[in-house]
Amino acid sequence: MIEPKAQSPLRARTTIHFLTLLILGLGFQGSGAETVWLDSLDLSNLRQGWGRPQVNRAIRETPLTIAGKVFARGVGTHATSTLWVQLDGGTERFTANVGVDDAAAGPGTVIFRVLADGRRVFDSGVMKTGTPPKAVNLDLRGRKLLLLQVLDAGDGIAFDHANWADARFEVTGVKPKTVPVPTEEAVILTPRPGPAPRINGPKVYGCRPGNPFLYRIPTQGERPITFSAKGLPKSLNLDAETGIIAGQAPLRGEYEVTLRAKNRHGTATRTLRIIAGDTLALTPPMGWNHWYAHYDRITDAMMREAADIMISSGMADVGYQYVNVDDCWMMAPKHNDPLRVGRLRDAQGVLLPNKYFPDMKLLADYIHSKGLKAGIYISPGPLTCAGFAGSWQHEALDAKTFADWGYDFLKYDWCSYSRVADGREPGADQVPNWAQGGRRLEVYTHPYKLMGDLLKQQPRDIVYNLCQYGMANVWEWGEAVGAHCWRTAGDLGFELDRIFEVALKNAEHRAWSRPGAWNDPDYIQIGWIGNARGGGLPQPCPLTPNEQYSYLSLWALMAAPIFYSGDMTKLDDFTLNVLCNPEVIEVNQDPLGQCGAVSVLNDETFILVKDLEDGSKAAGLFNRGEFPAEAALPWPVAGLTGPAKVRDLWRQQDLGVSSGPYRATLPRHGVVLLRLTPVRAAK
Ligand code: GLA
């Protein structure tokens, strides 16, 4: 399937020469072409959604088999996968047989694609287990760069075992070699904040009457800044120097407060609506979580340092607020670090932190002293995912303990709950996987409702985050069990190549997104992150600069919780520019709480549009493709009926008034993020 194209005289001559050789029955080998097998190339450049590339066998290390046909050679990979091969004009032909491996034996569907110098030259169409192998046979004379792709065909990557069987190049010149994903310059798009004050953060804030109240006014600008407020309920005090509001949440009701920040360069004001009622997290929670940076290496000192840096880096000045410890702060029955092993609970049944956490209350106090909030983690099962103490059969005491210690956020992670879910004792055989069915909905909701009810009884506002990977359509019942946000899928740590797919899946649940109820597609992993597979030390994340802009844009448009989960000590200017653009964050924190709606333009490009409280729209144009792509946003797709002011949010630049469509060339895996504010047409 080579695209028809006029041939240059030189190419035409080569073709004739080639045909002559064929007619003479010599074929490539006879013409001096050398066979270079795909499996002999450096496969460390192959990026794939699961597992490691396999040489001459399928992803599960079984013989390469497609619809009963066994192949001796080839590469076994897993969607989604990309492999860039530099040809530099030396390759005559690429041939292969592609298909889903028989051992996948599941519902997975994939599409194999080949692009030569940016043009699609092969597309397998949707294939699944049992689809007979499809032959790839491509004339690549003169081509410089080849891209071998396996896409997930839109249904996720489960069972997507993809084989490039019998894959080989016929080479007459420079040998093909694999190359890493193309690199890009890390261009900082977000202008530095000026010296005058700018108040950021949510415009609406929920609390429960009478509970402790803590809110640090997120404000950029040169310090010292003097803060004041009009209309602040009497039960609250504002520290004029730090901008921290503390005290007791007022009586049930709505309070419109005018915040003011002044320094020698100017004054800023902003309205904050404090709503004392039943609902917390009226805008998506924002903060930092230790997991993807530090795994089971986390200590009290690292948590304190993260809180310090949240302030010193300016993150808190744009709205990051929670400093959350994840798994591994408690004791474990067994672990390779003896300082994390010991009795799980004291004689009264109270959880015992491990030796790296001398005092959980003092840690929360420290975080609060900065005007920030503290988050904690546990599982409803007997043990957490990493094998540390869980809450099973101690739920009431644990909820009280977390409140006594002063925690403001709980992540409740299913993990070993499977072992007890059906009434079995811990340690009994694994119950069947939920996906295999057989469980009542109540089995999924029960542990979460139990803890949700207990948290509501505490004299403290505790934001409740469900982590159970989207089982049993959690978005349909998360709010009813008292949760404020819920993970909609598995760990993104394992799927960083799939941020677009994960986001598109998450956005399918947009109907359930509203103030106090958020779909959570997992954390932001940019800057330096730990190696998700090996639990290794932090290293620069694999995402390109454009992928990072897309990541934050997607999360902003979906009203997803924004938790940075990289190494705070390694934040650089580029990472901070991606994390801390207040205009992008404002889209995320908009009081309407809407998750954007997706309009797919084609295989590569799509649009995500979100209504904002002031009548404007936020719109992202995204390119999932491997090459730059043109895209256009027609005004009706954005819900616009007339001219609108167009603002580029990453660059914080006005682009004038337009009646649409807005056209852009989107870089590979990149985005243009806009705010469109309707204007009255001039009469
Ligand atoms: C699960 C969760 C992660 C993290 C780990 C901790 O995998 O999904 O977010 O909390 O457990 O062990």
Side-chain angles (χ1 to χ4, degrees), residues 252-548:
R252 188 172 285 271
E254 279 198 37
Y255 304 84
E256 191 162 302
V257 183
T258 308
L259 305 172
R260 190 159 176 269
K262 185 169 186 287
N263 70 7
R264 67 192 177 99
H265 302 283
T267 302
T269 58
R270 184 163 167 116
T271 306
L272 176 68
R273 247 183 313 138
I274 296 177
I275 302 182
D278 300 315
T279 313
L280 306 178
L282 291 177
T283 62
M286 291 179 65
W288 176 79
N289 172 290
H290 97 253
W291 186 245
Y292 288 125
H294 306 301
Y295 298 97
D296 62 357
R297 299 181 297 272
I298 190 65
T299 66
D300 173 280
M302 288 158 108
M303 293 303 301
R304 287 172 190 246
E305 190 176 35
D308 294 345
I309 298 172
M310 192 173 279
I311 302 289
S312 64
S313 66
M315 283 176 71
D317 296 338
V318 293
Y320 291 86
Q321 187 187 22
Y322 290 94
V323 180
N324 291 1
V325 71
D326 204 275
D327 205 343
C328 310
W329 63 268
M330 348 52 174
M331 284 290 190
K334 54 176 198 277
H335 189 266
N336 53 21
D337 181 345
L339 297 183
R340 296 189 196 263
V341 178
R343 237 168 13 114
L344 306 187
R345 295 172 182 272
D346 70 9
Q348 281 69 48
V350 177
L351 279 161
L352 289 167
N354 63 49
K355 293 283 186 297
Y356 293 98
F357 288 87
D359 189 320
M360 294 305 284
K361 180 170 182 337
L362 288 184
L363 173 58
D365 289 350
Y366 181 80
I367 294 169
H368 292 154
S369 74
K370 313 241 148 196
L372 301 174
K373 298 192 174 167
I376 201 157
Y377 164 102
I378 204 155
S379 167
L383 294 175
T384 64
C385 300
F388 287 69
S391 277
W392 191 61
Q393 294 186 329
H394 296 86
E395 294 84 358
L397 182 56
D398 289 357
K400 180 175 178 314
T401 303
F402 298 150
D404 288 349
W405 285 345
Y407 283 83
D408 310 290
F409 187 107
L410 174 67
K411 172 173 172 182
Y412 209 39
D413 190 352
W414 173 276
C415 271
S416 69
Y417 190 78
S418 286
R419 290 205 245 141
V420 294
D422 297 326
R424 300 191 187 191
E425 288 306 309
D429 291 338
Q430 281 285 113
V431 290
N433 185 282
W434 71 275
Q436 288 156 12
R439 283 191 183 150
R440 289 167 299 123
L441 180 62
E442 205 264 338
V443 174
Y444 297 102
T445 59
H446 170 75
Y448 287 102
K449 174 146 181 4
L450 177 64
M451 183 53 85
D453 289 346
L454 289 163
L455 291 178
K456 274 187 213 151
Q457 290 161 24
Q458 308 308 316
R460 186 160 193 94
D461 290 351
I462 302 178
V463 168
Y464 185 30
N465 174 212
L466 311 189
C467 178
Q468 47 83 287
Y469 340 114
M471 291 187 294
N473 291 357
V474 62
W475 42 89
E476 292 174 2
W477 49 265
E479 194 181 12
V481 299
H484 303 100
C485 43
W486 38 84
R487 280 268 298 280
T488 53
D491 290 9
L492 188 54
F494 302 130
E495 301 188 4
L496 265 192
D497 282 346
R498 303 184 61 247
I499 50 168
F500 293 108
E501 287 78 3
V502 167
L504 288 169
K505 203 85 210 131
N506 183 72
E508 284 177 11
H509 318 309
R510 64 186 296 265
W512 286 273
S513 172
R514 60 172 152 266
W518 310 107
N519 293 310
D520 172 7
D522 209 357
Y523 303 136
I524 303 295
Q525 299 175 68
I526 63 173
W528 287 58
I529 55 169
N531 176 343
R533 291 198 191 287
L537 290 168
Q539 48 188 279
C541 78
L543 297 175
T544 64
N546 280 310
E547 287 168 343
Q548 298 183 44

